[in-house]
Amino acid sequence: MGKDSIFCALPLFGLLILLSINFSYATVTDIECLKSVRSSLQDPLRYLTTWDFNNSTEGFICKFTGVECWHPDENRVLNIHLSDMGLKGQFPFGINKCSSLTGLDLSSNKLSGPIPSDIATRLQYVTFLDLSSNNFSGEIPASLANCTFLNSLKLNDNRLTGKIPPQLGSLSRLKTFSVANNLLTGPVPSFGNTTVSAGDYANNPGLCGKPLDPCPGVAKKSRAGVIAAAAAGGVTCTALVVGVLLHYLLPGVMQKKEEDPEGNKWARSIQGTKGIKVSMFEKSVSKMRLSNLMEATNNFSNNNIIGTGQTGTMYIALLPDGCFLMIKRLKDSQRVEKEFVSEMNTLGSVKHRNLVPLLGFCVAKKERFLVYKYLENGTLYDKLHPAEPEVSNLEWPLRLKIAIGSARGLAWLHHSCNPRILHRNISSKCILLDGEFEPKLSDFGLARLMNPVDTHLSTFVNGEFGDLGYVAPEYSRTLVATPKGDVYSFGVVLLELITGEKPTHLANAPDSFKGSLVEWIAHLSSNSILQTAIDKSLLGKGFDGELNQFLRVACNCVSPNPKERSTMFEVYQLLRAIGERYHFTTDDEIMLSPTTGEADFLDELIVAQ
C-alpha cells in the first residue's frame, strides 16, 4: 500500500460516466415509481395532493407526503409511509421501480386483492413491511422468505387465507411478525431468532403449533422423535455443546445470523484446497491450514455467521483447544493474488491497542480469508441498539471510554501509521469491544483493498444502504475518500453514543420529522434545543457538563463543511480532555504532535468547551 495511493481519486471521465449512469438512473426510476404508486391508488381524502410531478427542482419528490428520501436533495426514495390515509385499490405493482426502497407502510387503509406472488423481486432491500389493517386476500406469498433484510413484517387484520409459508422461518433478521385476525390455517413457522407470541397469531380459524395448541398427531410424532434423537445422540452431542457455547459465550450471535446468498456452494468449491497453509503473523498462534478453518466453522456454515458488511461475511470459528477466532470471507477483491498478499503483509504489520488484530490470511482459488482475534462483546452497534430491550443501557463513563479509545485508534491510522490509512467505512458496526469493553476498529484498510475506487461508491451502485447514515455529504459530489470524511463518519458514531439513536430511522424524533440523525441534530441546533437530543437515561446523574461538551465535539465532526471539521488528532484530544477525571488514557498513548495551526485550533476548541 503506497503512501500516496490512499488519496487517489477517480479519473474525471470515469466519474462522470458513473454519475450519469447510476445516479441519474435512480432519479428517473424513483419518480416513475411514485407516479405508478399514485396512479394505482384511489385517494378520496386527498392526502396525496402534494404528489405534484410538474416540478423539476432537485429532491422535489422528497417533499411528498409520506415519502422519505436518503437525502432531501436527491430523488432517491428510502421509505414510503402511507398509513391511515383512507387509500383504496390494490398493492402498487410499480413499487419495484423504487430500487433503493428499504421500508413500506401501507397499513390502516382499504386496500384489497392479493399480495403479489413475486413481492421479493419488487422489494429486494425492504427491512420493514406493514400491510396490516387492510382487506388483502389470498395466500401469503412464499417469496417473502427471499426478502432477507426484513426485520419487521406485519400482515395482521386482513383476509388472508391458506397456510403461513414455513420458509418464513428462515428470515434470520426478523424481529416482529404478526398475522393476527386473518383466515389462516395449518402449522405456524418455526422462527429460530424471533419470539412470536400467541397474540400475533390470534383469531385465525386453524393455526396450530407452538406457542399455540399442538397440531393434530404431534404427540405420536414426538415419541418417534425421542427414539430417533436417542439413536442419533452420539452424533448430535458435539453440535449441541457448540450450540450452547455459541448461545452463551457469543452474545447476539444467533440474532445476527444472516443467509449467505450462495449457500455453501462456494465452500464446496474449495474442498480440494484444504491443504493450503494459512499465513499467520503471530508466532504465538499455532500453524494452521485451510482445513482447520473449515472444520472450525463447520465448513463455513450459515449458523456460524456473526455479521455481514460491505467488505464480506464474518464467521465464528471454534478451535479444538476451545479457543475462538473470527474468520472473514472477503467479497470479490479487485486485487490479483500477488497484490493481495502484499496488501495483507502491510495490514498485518499494523498494530495498535485500538485496532482488531489481524492474525493471518489465506488464499484459496478466488476466495480470500482473513483471520482475526475474537472479541467477546461484539459490535458497538449491537450494544447501543440491542435487538431485545436490555435491563440497563451503557452507562456514560463506559460510552465515553469507548469514544476515546475509538478516536485514539482512528487518529493513529490518520496521523502515526506508516503508511497512513483512511478507514473509509467508519460506523458503530465496525467498532468491536473486547471483554473489558476496550474498543477496537475493524475493517481498516479493507475498503481500498476491495475496491480501488471506493467502498461507498459500490454501496450506492448496488443499492446496499447499511451504512448510509455515516456517509459525509460531500462524498456524493466528489466520490473521493478523505480524512475529513472519516471524521464525519466518526462524528455520527459519537452522536449514536450520546443520543442512543440509530443513524437513520430515529425512534425519539417527532413523527413529523423525516430525516437522518445528523439532520435531526442540525434541526435541534437551529432551534437552540440541542440538549434535548441527549439520551435521557444519561441525564441527571452528574455528567451533564461532560455530555454537553461531548455533544459539541460530535457536532463539529459532522459539520457540512469539511474545512470546519477537526482532524482526528484534535477529536481525540478533545474527548481525552472531557474524560480526564476517569484516567482512561496516559500521556504517551498516541505518539504524534499537531502542527502549529492544529495546536492553536485545539486550544481554542478546548477553551470553548
Side-chain angles (χ1 to χ4, degrees):
M1 182 185 298
K3 294 184 179 180
D4 300 322
S5 59
I6 294 174
F7 299 95
C8 290
L10 278 172
L12 180 60
F13 179 73
L15 184 145
L16 291 174
I17 291 177
L18 287 170
L19 283 173
S20 62
I21 292 176
N22 295 297
F23 288 8
S24 298
Y25 177 78
T27 299
V28 172
T29 56
D30 283 29
I31 293 173
E32 291 178 356
C33 168
L34 295 185
K35 285 183 177 179
S36 175
V37 171
R38 179 66 186 88
S39 63
S40 66
L41 299 176
Q42 301 175 39
D43 180 27
L45 302 181
R46 300 181 61 79
Y47 278 103
L48 303 184
T49 53
T50 63
W51 289 33
D52 180 11
F53 295 96
N54 296 318
N55 197 328
S56 58
T57 59
E58 186 67 16
F60 74 96
I61 64 174
C62 303
K63 299 178 177 63
F64 288 179
T65 299
V67 175
E68 178 179 330
C69 292
W70 76 275
H71 190 280
D73 294 327
E74 179 78 22
N75 286 332
R76 183 183 286 254
V77 179
L78 186 65
N79 297 307
I80 297 178
H81 301 274
L82 302 179
S83 178
D84 197 18
M85 293 185 177
L87 302 174
K88 298 179 181 180
Q90 297 190 340
F91 185 95
F93 283 77
I95 200 73
N96 61 298
K97 294 182 179 180
C98 287
S99 58
S100 305
L101 194 70
T102 63
L104 178 62
D105 183 357
L106 299 175
S107 62
S108 302
N109 284 295
K110 300 179 181 179
L111 304 179
S112 59
I115 301 173
S117 59
D118 61 345
I119 190 169
T121 61
R122 299 178 184 275
L123 299 171
Q124 295 185 50
Y125 304 107
V126 67
T127 60
F128 69 89
L129 176 61
D130 192 347
L131 304 180
S132 62
S133 301
N134 279 287
N135 292 312
F136 287 115
S137 57
E139 296 186 347
I140 299 174
S143 69
L144 275 171
N146 295 324
C147 295
T148 54
F149 297 99
L150 268 176
N151 54 52
S152 178
L153 176 59
K154 296 181 179 180
L155 303 174
N156 51 283
D157 297 280
N158 279 288
R159 298 186 59 79
L160 299 172
T161 56
K163 296 182 179 180
I164 303 174
Q167 298 94 321
L168 297 185
S170 66
L171 290 171
S172 58
R173 300 187 183 208
L174 200 63
K175 301 295 180 253
T176 302
F177 177 73
S178 178
V179 291
N181 302 306
N182 277 287
L183 304 171
L184 300 168
T185 58
V188 300
S190 175
F191 292 96
N193 303 325
T194 306
T195 300
V196 182
S197 68
D200 292 322
Y201 295 121
N203 299 320
N204 281 281
L207 291 180
C208 59
K210 191 176 180 179
L212 306 175
D213 293 335
C215 294
V218 164
K220 294 181 180 179
K221 291 181 181 179
S222 297
R223 179 171 295 182
V226 170
I227 297 173
V235 177
T236 60
C237 180
T238 301
L240 288 173
V241 171
V242 172
V244 171
L245 286 171
L246 289 174
H247 182 75
Y248 289 103
L249 297 182
L250 313 178
V253 165
M254 299 309 293
Q255 286 74 17
K256 292 184 287 181
K257 186 182 94 173
E258 302 182 29
E259 292 296 330
D260 185 334
E262 299 178 12
N264 280 327
K265 292 180 181 178
W266 66 267
R268 290 193 294 270
S269 71
I270 59 172
Q271 290 285 342
T273 60
K274 286 185 174 182
I276 291 179
K277 292 182 179 180
V278 178
S279 299
M280 305 299 290
F281 301 116
E282 298 284 343
K283 293 182 179 179
S284 60
V285 180
S286 60
K287 294 181 179 180
M288 301 182 69
R289 296 182 181 274
L290 178 59
S291 58
N292 301 123
L293 301 186
M294 298 186 73
E295 291 170 6
T297 58
N298 192 23
N299 287 328
F300 294 98
S301 166
N302 290 344
N303 291 324
N304 286 59
I305 294 176
I306 56 175
T308 60
Q310 294 175 4
T311 57
T313 303
M314 189 75 82
Y315 296 81
I316 186 71
L318 177 60
L319 301 179
D321 61 2
C323 295
F324 289 99
L325 294 173
M326 298 187 298
I327 313 298
K328 169 160 280 191
R329 179 207 176 202
L330 294 178
K331 290 184 179 178
D332 293 338
S333 173
Q334 303 298 314
R335 307 286 179 173
V336 297
E337 182 173 341
K338 183 178 180 180
E339 292 177 336
F340 175 80
V341 171
S342 176
E343 294 279 356
M344 286 298 98
N345 287 328
T346 299
L347 293 180
S349 66
V350 176
K351 305 292 183 185
H352 188 271
R353 63 174 288 189
N354 294 114
L355 302 180
V356 178
L358 176 61
L359 304 180
F361 67 94
C362 181
V363 179
K365 295 183 178 180
K366 294 183 179 181
E367 298 293 338
R368 308 284 192 268
F369 303 99
L370 306 184
V371 182
Y372 290 103
K373 180 181 178 181
Y374 171 69
L375 299 179
E376 298 91 325
N377 277 310
T379 69
L380 174 59
Y381 182 90
D382 289 330
K383 292 300 179 185
L384 288 173
H385 318 295
E388 298 293 337
E390 295 183 342
V391 177
S392 61
N393 295 318
L394 293 176
E395 296 296 331
W396 171 244
L398 185 53
R399 297 193 198 198
L400 184 55
K401 172 186 176 180
I402 293 169
I404 293 173
S406 302
R408 181 170 51 231
L410 188 54
W412 188 84
L413 287 174
H414 279 198
H415 299 278
S416 293
C417 180
N418 186 18
R420 297 184 182 183
I421 295 177
L422 295 185
H423 193 288
R424 306 191 191 191
N425 193 25
I426 286 292
S427 72
S428 58
K429 293 180 181 179
C430 73
I431 298 175
L432 277 65
L433 306 172
D434 67 10
E436 301 300 322
F437 282 87
E438 183 70 24
K440 299 180 186 292
L441 301 180
S442 66
D443 286 2
F444 57 91
L446 294 188
R448 178 176 171 272
L449 174 69
M450 301 310 300
N451 189 334
V453 173
D454 201 285
T455 185
H456 287 310
L457 175 59
S458 63
T459 299
F460 289 135
V461 172
N462 294 324
E464 299 173 2
F465 294 93
D467 297 331
L468 176 63
Y470 299 95
V471 182
E474 69 272 12
Y475 186 82
S476 61
R477 300 189 301 271
T478 66
L479 298 183
V480 177
T482 67
K484 291 301 181 75
D486 273 2
V487 171
Y488 180 95
S489 299
F490 186 73
V492 179
V493 174
L494 296 182
L495 290 177
E496 283 184 86
L497 280 164
I498 195 169
T499 66
E501 293 281 1
K502 296 179 181 180
T504 56
H505 303 103
L506 307 184
N508 295 317
D511 292 338
S512 58
F513 181 83
K514 306 298 181 184
S516 67
L517 175 56
V518 172
E519 291 166 336
W520 185 46
I521 293 297
H523 170 75
L524 296 178
S525 180
S526 65
N527 289 281
S528 301
I529 52 174
L530 184 58
Q531 283 70 23
T532 60
I534 297 174
D535 189 334
K536 292 181 175 50
S537 69
L538 305 177
L539 295 170
K541 298 182 179 180
F543 308 122
D544 289 7
E546 294 173 10
L547 291 168
N548 288 327
Q549 292 173 342
F550 187 97
L551 186 55
R552 290 174 192 159
V553 175
C555 289
N556 172 268
C557 291
V558 298
S559 171
N561 185 351
K563 294 181 179 180
E564 295 178 358
R565 299 172 202 155
S566 306
T567 66
M568 272 314 303
F569 173 79
E570 294 162 353
V571 174
Y572 167 66
Q573 294 287 36
L574 286 167
L575 294 175
R576 184 183 179 192
I578 294 172
E580 186 174 6
R581 69 168 171 144
Y582 300 102
H583 305 293
F584 292 141
T585 64
T586 60
D587 290 339
D588 60 350
E589 279 189 334
I590 184 164
M591 303 301 295
L592 56 88
S593 298
T595 65
T596 301
E598 285 178 336
D600 293 341
F601 178 71
L602 181 61
D603 290 339
E604 292 174 5
L605 277 177
I606 291 177
V607 170
Q609 300 302 320

